[in-house]
Amino acid sequence: MKNQKIPKFSDHQKALNTLQGLLIGISLDQKLNQKEVSEIKFWLSESKEFINKQLYSEIVSILESVIKIGKFKDEEKKDLLFVCEKFNKSNPAFDLVQNDMQVLHGILHGILADGKITLQEAESLKKWLYQNEQLTNSYPYDELLSLLTGILADGKIDKEEQAILKIFLSEFINLEKSKNLDETKIETLKTQFTVPGICALAPEIIPEGNVFSFTGVPSKQPIQDIETTIRENGGIFSYPLRKDTSYLIVGGNTSNSWTFSCFGRKVEEAIEMRKSGSQILIIHEVDFWDNIA
């Protein structure tokens, strides 16, 4: 067939990264239910253009067994993860951050696969993030870690916190590639719950040579003092955000009840910059002064 599309190496890589993350995500709670099995089955059907490859024959065989009996043997999962990792690292253009970010997106998909987020899943996701600090400063690593830290501070996760996590995690999942995730339900949740504003958790702030901006209402010292402090420490202060802005400081008196659709203008702009690959960090005014001190 002349017009048949030949999958690129990057297509194979993304498919396997998604599978790797999906397998990690659905097994964070050490259980496998029918909705999660159906997500695996859906991945298999969506990846059918790849499965004639010799590499995929072993993967397909194991996945078909899992789908049939509805259970994962520990050795099966280890074999699948081994093949995924081995294949992707064989790519001469292997990019660790890009690779692991695709895996993270797969994990988020796996966690949401059955429509529930348990305490064990949230704690295991936070642990995975700490084990993969190479993703620090890459969107949405900092935001996700900060959100999980706040939610897990009391050692439990209630229905509202589950909803907030669902809203946030769904932002990084292609809902068309899911059997169970319903975009309408996600949009309904967004009208019912407010996602808290998210600043980087315990950020490293280096004034010298870096560009800073500010938004909101300062709580400790006037904005003129912040500007002077930055310049005295070798940094650059800019009222508007610039392409090379490294830090956006959020005032301590600013509401922490932002929603994704109602962020302050600069915060929303900074998030869009981060989505596009910018290393700009959104930091709290308190963390700025603590670092300077």
Side-chain angles (χ1 to χ4, degrees):
M1 297 178 64
K2 292 182 179 180
N3 295 326
Q4 186 176 10
K5 181 183 176 182
I6 301 175
K8 297 181 292 186
F9 193 102
S10 58
D11 294 328
H12 290 277
Q13 187 175 27
K14 187 172 183 179
L16 285 182
N17 282 336
T18 301
L19 175 62
Q20 183 180 344
L22 185 63
L23 296 176
I24 294 171
I26 64 177
S27 57
L28 287 178
D29 59 0
Q30 308 299 317
K31 299 174 184 177
L32 185 65
N33 58 45
Q34 284 305 307
K35 284 190 175 181
E36 292 168 336
V37 169
S38 68
E39 284 297 293
I40 295 173
K41 187 175 182 179
F42 193 72
W43 178 92
L44 196 56
S45 66
E46 288 291 298
S47 304
K48 58 180 178 291
E49 60 185 299
F50 305 133
I51 62 177
N52 61 340
K53 297 284 184 181
Q54 185 176 356
L55 167 71
Y56 283 81
S57 61
E58 183 180 2
I59 291 177
V60 172
S61 176
I62 295 174
L63 291 180
E64 287 179 342
S65 172
V66 170
I67 292 167
K68 184 176 181 179
I69 65 175
K71 290 183 180 180
F72 241 140
K73 295 177 183 176
D74 191 49
E75 287 301 305
E76 288 176 330
K77 191 178 84 170
K78 287 180 180 178
D79 287 343
L80 287 170
L81 295 178
F82 174 80
V83 172
C84 292
E85 292 174 7
K86 200 76 172 176
F87 175 81
N88 287 330
K89 288 181 180 177
S90 69
N91 179 6
F94 177 77
D95 183 320
L96 179 62
V97 171
Q98 181 187 46
N99 183 85
D100 289 349
M101 192 55 69
Q102 290 175 353
V103 172
L104 174 58
H105 287 184
I107 292 174
L108 304 185
H109 188 158
I111 290 174
L112 287 180
D114 62 356
K116 299 180 292 183
I117 302 177
T118 67
L119 177 62
Q120 185 177 4
E121 286 174 329
E123 289 175 337
S124 296
L125 175 57
K126 183 181 176 184
K127 182 179 178 181
W128 187 92
L129 291 172
Y130 274 123
Q131 291 171 340
N132 289 271
E133 291 184 336
Q134 70 275 9
L135 297 179
T136 300
N137 297 347
S138 296
Y139 186 81
Y141 180 95
D142 295 291
E143 290 83 351
L144 182 53
L145 181 57
S146 182
L147 180 59
L148 284 168
T149 300
I151 286 176
L152 295 172
D154 60 359
K156 56 186 178 181
I157 179 170
D158 59 30
K159 288 185 177 179
E160 181 176 348
E161 290 167 336
Q162 276 197 47
I164 288 171
L165 276 173
K166 282 182 184 178
I167 293 169
F168 189 82
L169 269 56
S170 68
E171 295 288 318
F172 313 102
I173 296 169
N174 183 352
L175 297 178
E176 294 179 358
K177 298 290 185 181
S178 171
K179 177 72 174 176
N180 299 308
L181 299 181
D182 188 330
E183 187 172 1
T184 303
K185 290 182 179 179
I186 297 294
E187 290 302 318
T188 301
L189 281 178
K190 289 181 180 180
T191 66
Q192 297 173 344
F193 296 94
T194 298
V195 177
I198 302 166
C199 292
L201 184 68
E204 181 182 13
I205 302 172
I206 303 172
E208 188 171 357
N210 285 314
V211 180
F212 290 74
S213 187
F214 188 93
T215 189
V217 181
S219 62
K220 299 191 74 172
Q221 295 187 34
I223 192 167
Q224 291 81 3
D225 291 352
I226 294 173
E227 180 180 353
T228 299
T229 300
I230 289 169
R231 288 178 173 156
E232 286 178 347
N233 283 274
I236 302 164
F237 185 86
S238 172
Y239 281 92
L241 288 176
R242 301 176 2 180
K243 287 183 178 180
D244 60 347
T245 300
S246 298
Y247 303 96
L248 172 62
I249 305 170
V250 177
N253 283 337
T254 304
S255 170
N256 67 347
S257 297
W258 310 317
T259 61
F260 284 107
S261 58
C262 302
F263 269 132
R265 179 182 60 81
K266 281 187 180 178
V267 176
E268 187 174 290
E269 187 179 343
I271 286 176
E272 289 305 312
M273 289 168 65
R274 283 178 57 71
K275 287 180 181 179
S276 300
S278 169
Q279 296 295 299
I280 184 173
L281 277 183
I282 303 169
I283 62 175
H284 196 277
E285 180 190 358
V286 171
D287 287 321
F288 170 77
W289 287 117
D290 285 349
N291 271 261
I292 293 298

